[in-house]
Amino acid sequence: MSDRLEQQREEVRFRVLRLIESNPEISQRELADELGVSLGQINYQLKALKERGLIKVGNFMRSDNKLAYIYLLTPKGVADKLAITKRFLVRKRQEFELMKAELEELEQEVSSKVNEQ
């Protein structure tokens, strides 16, 4: 599997874990909308997280009499989220440094063109 694809999957897992941690009653559809991915991908992610022991899934009744789920991070899920967060920060800092260098290069290019005129 490509490194880039693995990073994308890990980023989706990271965002799913963050959203579940902040809103355990979030629906799969809300997760999909929030993350801009398909409902099927969210369903797949949640099943994988459950199978890996990263989340617990429980049923509860919403006020509108519909059965819904509550998603809770397990201690293993919290630890996984922390590890992913560390890798995410390293990757984003690297991206930031590359972008910063590119911006500086572009600013120098524009500045030199302005000075030529």
Side-chain angles (χ1 to χ4, degrees):
M1 181 182 324
S2 78
D3 208 30
R4 187 170 190 81
L5 182 59
E6 182 57 36
Q7 285 179 357
Q8 289 173 339
R9 286 184 179 165
E10 186 174 83
E11 188 164 335
V12 170
R13 188 168 84 233
F14 168 70
R15 294 185 189 284
V16 167
L17 290 171
R18 277 186 75 192
L19 287 168
I20 287 173
E21 185 176 48
S22 66
N23 183 8
E25 296 177 11
I26 194 166
S27 71
Q28 289 186 21
R29 188 167 307 283
E30 290 168 333
L31 279 169
D33 289 345
E34 186 75 29
L35 299 175
V37 298
S38 71
L39 189 56
Q41 185 175 2
I42 291 298
N43 187 277
Y44 173 82
Q45 280 284 338
L46 291 173
K47 282 182 182 178
L49 292 172
K50 183 180 176 193
E51 287 173 6
R52 292 178 62 195
L54 303 180
I55 63 170
K56 286 189 213 177
V57 180
N59 295 339
F60 75 99
M61 295 295 287
R62 284 196 172 164
S63 59
D64 56 5
N65 287 333
K66 291 184 182 174
L67 189 62
Y69 296 101
I70 188 165
Y71 303 99
L72 300 171
L73 267 61
T74 63
K76 186 177 176 183
V78 172
D80 187 64
K81 180 182 165 277
L82 179 60
I84 294 171
T85 301
K86 288 177 181 178
R87 289 190 297 272
F88 185 79
L89 280 170
V90 167
R91 194 167 55 248
K92 291 301 178 181
R93 281 192 180 115
Q94 290 171 343
E95 290 174 12
F96 173 75
E97 291 301 323
L98 288 172
M99 186 163 295
K100 194 166 105 175
E102 185 177 359
L103 285 171
E104 289 171 0
E105 186 179 308
L106 288 170
E107 287 172 345
Q108 289 175 355
E109 187 179 313
V110 167
S111 180
S112 69
K113 297 289 182 186
V114 169
N115 290 337
E116 288 177 5
Q117 293 179 2

